[in-house]
Amino acid sequence: MKKKTTVLFTLLLSMILVIAGCGNSGSSNTDKKANEPQTKNEEKKEDSVAGASQASYTPIDQLKDNYDIIIVGAGGAGMSAALEAKEKGLNPVIFEKMPVAGGNTTKSSSGMNASQTKFQKEQGIEDKNDLFYEETLAGGHNTNDKEMLRFFVDNSASAIDWLDSIGIKLNNITITGGMKEKRTHRPEDGSAVGKYLVTGLVKNVQEKSIPLFVNADVKEITQADGKVNGVKVVIDQKDEKTITAKAVVVTTGGFGSNADLIAKVRPDLKGLVTTNQVGSTGDGITMIEKLGGVTVDMDQIQVHPTVQQDKSYLIGEAVRGEGAIMVSNEGKRFVNELNTRDKVTAAINTLPEKAATLVFDSGVKSRVKAIEQYDKMGFVVKGDTIEDLAKAINVPADQLKATMDTWNKAVKDKKDSEFDRTTGMDNDLSGAPYYAIKIAPGIHYTMGGIKINTNTEVLNKEGKAIAGLFAAGEVTGGLHGENRIGGNSVAEIIIFGRQAGIKSAEYVQAK
């Protein structure tokens, strides 16, 4: 009876959280304007409250006036920073403007890239940091910050080890676009990485007694005598409080949901759907600029090729990595599906319909657990035969059959003579039933942001660190250059989130 009561209580809490989260509008007026189209999107509301229990958050009556380190944003980078700062013996606090922790991390699907990991070695995958570096540099069109990139790849394996050490195991490895080796690490069951990662990080934050306040909207980072010394934060859209600290770490994410800012820096993208959670409005960038921080690559915005348009929902690259192909309205392949995201997007945009369909079989469905979620949301079309599927998605059956036969032969021969695809060809598409998801490009990631160094110190226009101010994750820019490789964003938030926690702690302890 006690167990049943606990289960019922947990379910009741979850229902209350969803209702509360859906009614939240914890953003500025500018944010509301940017997010108005998304309030009609029930899935975005669901995502904004997924990933953690309200019981994990610190009651507002426990808020103190002073902490060693203030972390702004409770996504993967922020929580990683908090855990490392706590490990150093300091007293960090996390402020999150949304009603739950997670941010865009919750929406991450495919996995976390890392090279020379223990899990790769266990599975006989021969990878090198230098290859990871070279492929990421090529993916970014050789415009990446090379010092940041070198630190990133060389610390990727230790980030996987660190996650494993705190109970977050990413040992199911697949491949995404722009790679030659399997290095995209996923949860053991092949499920989407985001919710698993957020749940694990929140659990660790709670176990370490790190205060995490939600509905805590930081409006300003304060400074005195040239040193950052705290923040002004609005709690529950009511009271503004000034909280002091010896250092501030900004991990507020990008600006993919700020329609006005996107239209300003990239007017050609105006009107595209966005996969970003509603809180990704660039607040951290604005606050840091007021302190003299500078930005880089603000016009470099990644459009992801495979977005379900009705609900602006990302269809993860792992679907293609495990063997799916894409076809046009004519039922024909038209691109190497695992080329870099910018090239696949460009290929889709050359089609008259500027959209395409992902086609896969029961084998892909079994290997990519995220497809179960896509199916629940009504995205997945099923056909018992290829002809049935063709009818369901309104493409010529004879042409789709020919496309599938040609592809399966390419997989067997390990040679794609049509588009030179060389990865994601471990299994053919011959396992009935067959499935399809309609997709088109959507705004996914903002490569630009605040300029930092490898110590995650925020830099001013002279290239000098702003004392006491650190940043990590999508709020920063430079690492990815003009195009991000799929799976690198999750790696970035963990690698640089940890670094921000370590370096901000060292700064505080040196004072």
PDB file of all heavy atoms in Angstrom, residues 221-247:
ATOM      1  N   ILE A 221      23.668  41.401 -14.370  1.00  0.00           N
ATOM      2  CA  ILE A 221      24.879  40.969 -13.665  1.00  0.00           C
ATOM      3  C   ILE A 221      25.544  42.217 -13.112  1.00  0.00           C
ATOM      4  O   ILE A 221      25.810  43.159 -13.862  1.00  0.00           O
ATOM      5  CB  ILE A 221      25.836  40.215 -14.609  1.00  0.00           C
ATOM      6  CG1 ILE A 221      25.140  38.985 -15.202  1.00  0.00           C
ATOM      7  CG2 ILE A 221      27.107  39.808 -13.875  1.00  0.00           C
ATOM      8  CD1 ILE A 221      25.887  38.364 -16.361  1.00  0.00           C
ATOM      9  N   THR A 222      25.779  42.252 -11.825  1.00  0.00           N
ATOM     10  CA  THR A 222      26.314  43.459 -11.199  1.00  0.00           C
ATOM     11  C   THR A 222      27.840  43.431 -11.147  1.00  0.00           C
ATOM     12  O   THR A 222      28.464  42.372 -11.202  1.00  0.00           O
ATOM     13  CB  THR A 222      25.741  43.633  -9.782  1.00  0.00           C
ATOM     14  OG1 THR A 222      26.081  42.483  -8.993  1.00  0.00           O
ATOM     15  CG2 THR A 222      24.240  43.783  -9.830  1.00  0.00           C
ATOM     16  N   GLN A 223      28.399  44.619 -10.992  1.00  0.00           N
ATOM     17  CA  GLN A 223      29.853  44.773 -11.060  1.00  0.00           C
ATOM     18  C   GLN A 223      30.267  45.936 -10.166  1.00  0.00           C
ATOM     19  O   GLN A 223      29.560  46.943 -10.063  1.00  0.00           O
ATOM     20  CB  GLN A 223      30.261  45.041 -12.516  1.00  0.00           C
ATOM     21  CG  GLN A 223      31.716  44.879 -12.845  1.00  0.00           C
ATOM     22  CD  GLN A 223      31.979  45.100 -14.336  1.00  0.00           C
ATOM     23  OE1 GLN A 223      31.365  45.967 -14.955  1.00  0.00           O
ATOM     24  NE2 GLN A 223      32.868  44.324 -14.920  1.00  0.00           N
ATOM     25  N   ALA A 224      31.413  45.807  -9.512  1.00  0.00           N
ATOM     26  CA  ALA A 224      31.964  46.897  -8.702  1.00  0.00           C
ATOM     27  C   ALA A 224      33.479  46.839  -8.776  1.00  0.00           C
ATOM     28  O   ALA A 224      34.072  45.758  -8.701  1.00  0.00           O
ATOM     29  CB  ALA A 224      31.492  46.783  -7.260  1.00  0.00           C
ATOM     30  N   ASP A 225      34.096  47.993  -8.963  1.00  0.00           N
ATOM     31  CA  ASP A 225      35.554  48.087  -9.040  1.00  0.00           C
ATOM     32  C   ASP A 225      36.127  47.158 -10.114  1.00  0.00           C
ATOM     33  O   ASP A 225      37.186  46.536  -9.923  1.00  0.00           O
ATOM     34  CB  ASP A 225      36.190  47.755  -7.684  1.00  0.00           C
ATOM     35  CG  ASP A 225      35.721  48.696  -6.580  1.00  0.00           C
ATOM     36  OD1 ASP A 225      35.551  49.899  -6.875  1.00  0.00           O
ATOM     37  OD2 ASP A 225      35.506  48.226  -5.454  1.00  0.00           O
ATOM     38  N   GLY A 226      35.404  47.028 -11.241  1.00  0.00           N
ATOM     39  CA  GLY A 226      35.893  46.223 -12.352  1.00  0.00           C
ATOM     40  C   GLY A 226      35.743  44.731 -12.174  1.00  0.00           C
ATOM     41  O   GLY A 226      36.234  43.951 -12.995  1.00  0.00           O
ATOM     42  N   LYS A 227      35.051  44.313 -11.105  1.00  0.00           N
ATOM     43  CA  LYS A 227      34.872  42.887 -10.853  1.00  0.00           C
ATOM     44  C   LYS A 227      33.391  42.553 -10.712  1.00  0.00           C
ATOM     45  O   LYS A 227      32.644  43.280 -10.057  1.00  0.00           O
ATOM     46  CB  LYS A 227      35.601  42.465  -9.571  1.00  0.00           C
ATOM     47  CG  LYS A 227      37.117  42.647  -9.637  1.00  0.00           C
ATOM     48  CD  LYS A 227      37.763  42.261  -8.316  1.00  0.00           C
ATOM     49  CE  LYS A 227      39.277  42.474  -8.373  1.00  0.00           C
ATOM     50  NZ  LYS A 227      39.932  42.108  -7.087  1.00  0.00           N
ATOM     51  N   VAL A 228      32.986  41.452 -11.324  1.00  0.00           N
ATOM     52  CA  VAL A 228      31.611  40.995 -11.181  1.00  0.00           C
ATOM     53  C   VAL A 228      31.368  40.588  -9.734  1.00  0.00           C
ATOM     54  O   VAL A 228      32.202  39.915  -9.115  1.00  0.00           O
ATOM     55  CB  VAL A 228      31.349  39.806 -12.142  1.00  0.00           C
ATOM     56  CG1 VAL A 228      30.077  39.062 -11.772  1.00  0.00           C
ATOM     57  CG2 VAL A 228      31.274  40.305 -13.582  1.00  0.00           C
ATOM     58  N   ASN A 229      30.217  41.012  -9.199  1.00  0.00           N
ATOM     59  CA  ASN A 229      29.975  40.741  -7.766  1.00  0.00           C
ATOM     60  C   ASN A 229      28.555  40.261  -7.461  1.00  0.00           C
ATOM     61  O   ASN A 229      28.140  40.269  -6.302  1.00  0.00           O
ATOM     62  CB  ASN A 229      30.294  41.980  -6.928  1.00  0.00           C
ATOM     63  CG  ASN A 229      29.323  43.124  -7.180  1.00  0.00           C
ATOM     64  OD1 ASN A 229      28.571  43.110  -8.152  1.00  0.00           O
ATOM     65  ND2 ASN A 229      29.341  44.120  -6.301  1.00  0.00           N
ATOM     66  N   GLY A 230      27.799  39.830  -8.479  1.00  0.00           N
ATOM     67  CA  GLY A 230      26.470  39.300  -8.189  1.00  0.00           C
ATOM     68  C   GLY A 230      25.484  39.510  -9.314  1.00  0.00           C
ATOM     69  O   GLY A 230      25.863  39.818 -10.453  1.00  0.00           O
ATOM     70  N   VAL A 231      24.199  39.356  -8.981  1.00  0.00           N
ATOM     71  CA  VAL A 231      23.131  39.502  -9.974  1.00  0.00           C
ATOM     72  C   VAL A 231      21.908  40.145  -9.348  1.00  0.00           C
ATOM     73  O   VAL A 231      21.742  40.154  -8.119  1.00  0.00           O
ATOM     74  CB  VAL A 231      22.706  38.134 -10.571  1.00  0.00           C
ATOM     75  CG1 VAL A 231      23.878  37.425 -11.217  1.00  0.00           C
ATOM     76  CG2 VAL A 231      22.036  37.252  -9.517  1.00  0.00           C
ATOM     77  N   LYS A 232      21.038  40.654 -10.210  1.00  0.00           N
ATOM     78  CA  LYS A 232      19.701  41.067  -9.820  1.00  0.00           C
ATOM     79  C   LYS A 232      18.738  40.057 -10.434  1.00  0.00           C
ATOM     80  O   LYS A 232      18.760  39.837 -11.651  1.00  0.00           O
ATOM     81  CB  LYS A 232      19.396  42.476 -10.301  1.00  0.00           C
ATOM     82  CG  LYS A 232      20.220  43.548  -9.591  1.00  0.00           C
ATOM     83  CD  LYS A 232      19.862  44.941 -10.069  1.00  0.00           C
ATOM     84  CE  LYS A 232      20.705  45.996  -9.325  1.00  0.00           C
ATOM     85  NZ  LYS A 232      20.369  47.382  -9.769  1.00  0.00           N
ATOM     86  N   VAL A 233      17.927  39.431  -9.606  1.00  0.00           N
ATOM     87  CA  VAL A 233      17.078  38.348 -10.068  1.00  0.00           C
ATOM     88  C   VAL A 233      15.633  38.583  -9.641  1.00  0.00           C
ATOM     89  O   VAL A 233      15.364  38.984  -8.503  1.00  0.00           O
ATOM     90  CB  VAL A 233      17.594  36.984  -9.543  1.00  0.00           C
ATOM     91  CG1 VAL A 233      17.695  36.968  -8.028  1.00  0.00           C
ATOM     92  CG2 VAL A 233      16.732  35.844 -10.045  1.00  0.00           C
ATOM     93  N   VAL A 234      14.700  38.360 -10.570  1.00  0.00           N
ATOM     94  CA  VAL A 234      13.277  38.474 -10.283  1.00  0.00           C
ATOM     95  C   VAL A 234      12.743  37.075  -9.978  1.00  0.00           C
ATOM     96  O   VAL A 234      12.863  36.160 -10.798  1.00  0.00           O
ATOM     97  CB  VAL A 234      12.518  39.091 -11.473  1.00  0.00           C
ATOM     98  CG1 VAL A 234      11.008  39.060 -11.209  1.00  0.00           C
ATOM     99  CG2 VAL A 234      12.983  40.528 -11.709  1.00  0.00           C
ATOM    100  N   ILE A 235      12.151  36.915  -8.825  1.00  0.00           N
ATOM    101  CA  ILE A 235      11.646  35.623  -8.372  1.00  0.00           C
ATOM    102  C   ILE A 235      10.138  35.542  -8.606  1.00  0.00           C
ATOM    103  O   ILE A 235       9.388  36.433  -8.183  1.00  0.00           O
ATOM    104  CB  ILE A 235      11.939  35.402  -6.873  1.00  0.00           C
ATOM    105  CG1 ILE A 235      13.445  35.570  -6.576  1.00  0.00           C
ATOM    106  CG2 ILE A 235      11.440  34.037  -6.435  1.00  0.00           C
ATOM    107  CD1 ILE A 235      14.334  34.541  -7.228  1.00  0.00           C
ATOM    108  N   ASP A 236       9.698  34.494  -9.293  1.00  0.00           N
ATOM    109  CA  ASP A 236       8.271  34.260  -9.541  1.00  0.00           C
ATOM    110  C   ASP A 236       7.575  35.475 -10.138  1.00  0.00           C
ATOM    111  O   ASP A 236       6.410  35.764  -9.829  1.00  0.00           O
ATOM    112  CB  ASP A 236       7.562  33.843  -8.245  1.00  0.00           C
ATOM    113  CG  ASP A 236       8.005  32.471  -7.765  1.00  0.00           C
ATOM    114  OD1 ASP A 236       8.344  31.633  -8.624  1.00  0.00           O
ATOM    115  OD2 ASP A 236       8.019  32.248  -6.546  1.00  0.00           O
ATOM    116  N   GLN A 237       8.290  36.223 -10.987  1.00  0.00           N
ATOM    117  CA  GLN A 237       7.756  37.394 -11.673  1.00  0.00           C
ATOM    118  C   GLN A 237       7.283  38.485 -10.709  1.00  0.00           C
ATOM    119  O   GLN A 237       6.439  39.305 -11.061  1.00  0.00           O
ATOM    120  CB  GLN A 237       6.589  37.003 -12.589  1.00  0.00           C
ATOM    121  CG  GLN A 237       6.951  35.929 -13.600  1.00  0.00           C
ATOM    122  CD  GLN A 237       5.768  35.506 -14.434  1.00  0.00           C
ATOM    123  OE1 GLN A 237       5.144  36.329 -15.093  1.00  0.00           O
ATOM    124  NE2 GLN A 237       5.445  34.219 -14.410  1.00  0.00           N
ATOM    125  N   LYS A 238       7.830  38.480  -9.486  1.00  0.00           N
ATOM    126  CA  LYS A 238       7.368  39.439  -8.472  1.00  0.00           C
ATOM    127  C   LYS A 238       8.516  40.291  -7.964  1.00  0.00           C
ATOM    128  O   LYS A 238       8.744  41.402  -8.426  1.00  0.00           O
ATOM    129  CB  LYS A 238       6.701  38.689  -7.312  1.00  0.00           C
ATOM    130  CG  LYS A 238       5.455  37.910  -7.710  1.00  0.00           C
ATOM    131  CD  LYS A 238       4.937  37.094  -6.529  1.00  0.00           C
ATOM    132  CE  LYS A 238       3.755  36.227  -6.940  1.00  0.00           C
ATOM    133  NZ  LYS A 238       3.284  35.348  -5.828  1.00  0.00           N
ATOM    134  N   ASP A 239       9.234  39.765  -7.005  1.00  0.00           N
ATOM    135  CA  ASP A 239      10.231  40.549  -6.290  1.00  0.00           C
ATOM    136  C   ASP A 239      11.604  40.479  -6.951  1.00  0.00           C
ATOM    137  O   ASP A 239      12.075  39.401  -7.311  1.00  0.00           O
ATOM    138  CB  ASP A 239      10.359  40.054  -4.848  1.00  0.00           C
ATOM    139  CG  ASP A 239       9.032  40.110  -4.109  1.00  0.00           C
ATOM    140  OD1 ASP A 239       8.270  41.050  -4.382  1.00  0.00           O
ATOM    141  OD2 ASP A 239       8.773  39.212  -3.281  1.00  0.00           O
ATOM    142  N   GLU A 240      12.252  41.626  -7.113  1.00  0.00           N
ATOM    143  CA  GLU A 240      13.642  41.643  -7.586  1.00  0.00           C
ATOM    144  C   GLU A 240      14.564  41.670  -6.377  1.00  0.00           C
ATOM    145  O   GLU A 240      14.392  42.472  -5.471  1.00  0.00           O
ATOM    146  CB  GLU A 240      13.914  42.858  -8.467  1.00  0.00           C
ATOM    147  CG  GLU A 240      15.344  42.873  -9.005  1.00  0.00           C
ATOM    148  CD  GLU A 240      15.623  44.018  -9.958  1.00  0.00           C
ATOM    149  OE1 GLU A 240      15.366  43.864 -11.165  1.00  0.00           O
ATOM    150  OE2 GLU A 240      16.087  45.072  -9.469  1.00  0.00           O
ATOM    151  N   LYS A 241      15.531  40.771  -6.386  1.00  0.00           N
ATOM    152  CA  LYS A 241      16.480  40.688  -5.286  1.00  0.00           C
ATOM    153  C   LYS A 241      17.902  40.814  -5.818  1.00  0.00           C
ATOM    154  O   LYS A 241      18.197  40.350  -6.920  1.00  0.00           O
ATOM    155  CB  LYS A 241      16.323  39.358  -4.547  1.00  0.00           C
ATOM    156  CG  LYS A 241      14.955  39.173  -3.876  1.00  0.00           C
ATOM    157  CD  LYS A 241      14.891  37.842  -3.152  1.00  0.00           C
ATOM    158  CE  LYS A 241      13.527  37.644  -2.492  1.00  0.00           C
ATOM    159  NZ  LYS A 241      13.282  38.626  -1.407  1.00  0.00           N
ATOM    160  N   THR A 242      18.750  41.421  -5.060  1.00  0.00           N
ATOM    161  CA  THR A 242      20.171  41.509  -5.390  1.00  0.00           C
ATOM    162  C   THR A 242      20.909  40.446  -4.573  1.00  0.00           C
ATOM    163  O   THR A 242      20.846  40.441  -3.345  1.00  0.00           O
ATOM    164  CB  THR A 242      20.736  42.901  -5.081  1.00  0.00           C
ATOM    165  OG1 THR A 242      20.056  43.879  -5.888  1.00  0.00           O
ATOM    166  CG2 THR A 242      22.234  42.942  -5.387  1.00  0.00           C
ATOM    167  N   ILE A 243      21.566  39.541  -5.282  1.00  0.00           N
ATOM    168  CA  ILE A 243      22.311  38.453  -4.640  1.00  0.00           C
ATOM    169  C   ILE A 243      23.789  38.633  -4.986  1.00  0.00           C
ATOM    170  O   ILE A 243      24.147  38.796  -6.161  1.00  0.00           O
ATOM    171  CB  ILE A 243      21.829  37.070  -5.136  1.00  0.00           C
ATOM    172  CG1 ILE A 243      20.303  36.960  -5.063  1.00  0.00           C
ATOM    173  CG2 ILE A 243      22.507  35.958  -4.345  1.00  0.00           C
ATOM    174  CD1 ILE A 243      19.721  37.071  -3.674  1.00  0.00           C
ATOM    175  N   THR A 244      24.633  38.599  -3.990  1.00  0.00           N
ATOM    176  CA  THR A 244      26.063  38.824  -4.227  1.00  0.00           C
ATOM    177  C   THR A 244      26.830  37.507  -4.303  1.00  0.00           C
ATOM    178  O   THR A 244      26.395  36.477  -3.796  1.00  0.00           O
ATOM    179  CB  THR A 244      26.672  39.704  -3.116  1.00  0.00           C
ATOM    180  OG1 THR A 244      26.493  39.056  -1.853  1.00  0.00           O
ATOM    181  CG2 THR A 244      26.002  41.068  -3.086  1.00  0.00           C
ATOM    182  N   ALA A 245      27.965  37.574  -4.977  1.00  0.00           N
ATOM    183  CA  ALA A 245      28.835  36.405  -5.138  1.00  0.00           C
ATOM    184  C   ALA A 245      30.212  36.874  -5.565  1.00  0.00           C
ATOM    185  O   ALA A 245      30.388  38.022  -6.000  1.00  0.00           O
ATOM    186  CB  ALA A 245      28.261  35.444  -6.178  1.00  0.00           C
ATOM    187  N   LYS A 246      31.176  35.993  -5.469  1.00  0.00           N
ATOM    188  CA  LYS A 246      32.534  36.322  -5.888  1.00  0.00           C
ATOM    189  C   LYS A 246      32.761  36.039  -7.379  1.00  0.00           C
ATOM    190  O   LYS A 246      33.746  36.497  -7.958  1.00  0.00           O
ATOM    191  CB  LYS A 246      33.547  35.536  -5.044  1.00  0.00           C
ATOM    192  CG  LYS A 246      33.485  35.842  -3.547  1.00  0.00           C
ATOM    193  CD  LYS A 246      34.525  35.057  -2.787  1.00  0.00           C
ATOM    194  CE  LYS A 246      34.468  35.339  -1.285  1.00  0.00           C
ATOM    195  NZ  LYS A 246      33.240  34.800  -0.663  1.00  0.00           N
ATOM    196  N   ALA A 247      31.856  35.262  -7.975  1.00  0.00           N
ATOM    197  CA  ALA A 247      31.957  34.970  -9.412  1.00  0.00           C
ATOM    198  C   ALA A 247      30.573  34.622  -9.943  1.00  0.00           C
ATOM    199  O   ALA A 247      29.705  34.151  -9.198  1.00  0.00           O
ATOM    200  CB  ALA A 247      32.928  33.810  -9.666  1.00  0.00           C
TER     201      ALA A 247
END
